[in-house]
Amino acid sequence: MAEEKDEMKGLMKTESGRRLTQILTDDYMNLHGKASGGAFVVWVAIIVPIELFKGFDNVVFAVPESHAALSAAKGVGMLQCEKAEHSGYSMDICSYARIDIGTAMSGGKDSPTFGLPRPNLLVSDNNNCSLLVKWFDVYHREWGVPHFILDVPFCYEMQKETDLKYIVVLDFNINRVISKERSD
């Protein structure tokens, strides 16, 4: 197994680690490139099924939670948290949210991926962490971007037909917004 020392951190990076770094870098650069080329950008929470959007051409997805984790792994998490805190966000909120908010509010400065391209639509869910909806709502208020909340009924027993119908109505509304935004 080939290894290479990262002089800045004194860490050994394997060939697999270098390959993974290249895959992630390529993926984020592809995301930025498509967004710059006019793609419709949707920021989704990590559990939101992107299959909701598969019928549309030229739609790309960004996952703020994943970007926050990558930023923390690359050593800039604390710096991004401090930016959010200086903007008035409490140090008591989730570090993923603070990293992401700090990155977004500084235009991607200090991010290992230049941040995320600004979204055209935000889609979060309420069956993940309790902060997630509020976190995405920050961007809704700050940038005026539509925010849909995937409101999934909690099922403690076998899912009922009414539960599925409830979710299908949300899917219809999300698709209506994408179609309207793209036609404007």
Side-chain angles (χ1 to χ4, degrees):
M1 178 170 15
E3 294 183 346
E4 179 181 293
K5 189 170 183 175
D6 181 339
E7 295 298 326
M8 291 182 63
K9 297 184 182 175
L11 303 173
M12 300 297 282
K13 193 176 249 191
T14 64
E15 180 61 34
S16 296
R18 285 190 298 278
R19 179 71 184 124
L20 180 58
T21 296
Q22 190 60 54
I23 289 169
L24 288 170
T25 299
D26 291 348
D27 191 51
Y28 278 102
M29 293 306 102
N30 185 40
L31 171 66
H32 281 288
K34 286 182 176 182
S36 295
F40 190 87
V41 179
V42 181
W43 282 14
V44 295
I46 207 156
I47 296 179
V48 170
I50 62 169
E51 292 80 6
L52 292 169
F53 312 97
K54 286 299 185 183
F56 294 97
D57 293 329
N58 206 23
V59 173
V60 294
F61 309 95
V63 183
E65 294 140 297
S66 295
H67 178 264
L70 176 65
S71 295
K74 291 292 187 178
V76 296
M78 186 63 76
L79 175 63
Q80 302 297 28
C81 284
E82 289 171 357
K83 290 178 189 178
E85 291 162 20
H86 289 303
S87 294
Y89 293 92
S90 172
M91 67 184 311
D92 293 329
I93 64 173
C94 163
S95 60
Y96 277 27
R98 283 182 295 140
I99 289 170
D100 186 59
I101 291 168
T103 302
M105 297 307 166
S106 68
K109 187 174 184 290
D110 302 311
S111 164
T113 68
F114 310 106
L116 299 174
R118 187 155 300 183
N120 300 101
L121 178 66
L122 303 156
V123 183
S124 63
D125 58 71
N126 66 352
N127 62 339
N128 197 354
C129 76
S130 60
L131 173 67
L132 195 60
V133 171
K134 301 244 183 241
W135 169 4
F136 276 49
D137 227 30
V138 166
Y139 305 123
H140 166 69
R141 288 189 316 271
E142 187 74 25
W143 298 328
V145 176
H147 177 205
F148 276 91
I149 302 164
L150 186 56
D151 184 15
V152 179
F154 285 93
C155 297
Y156 298 102
E157 51 195 48
M158 198 61 139
Q159 190 177 37
K160 297 177 182 74
E161 185 66 26
T162 54
D163 298 330
L164 180 59
K165 285 180 183 175
Y166 184 82
I167 295 168
V168 168
V169 168
L170 174 73
D171 179 32
F172 171 76
N173 287 328
I174 289 172
N175 288 319
R176 206 176 74 221
V177 166
I178 292 175
S179 295
K180 181 186 179 316
E181 290 282 322
R182 297 188 88 179
S183 66
D184 289 346

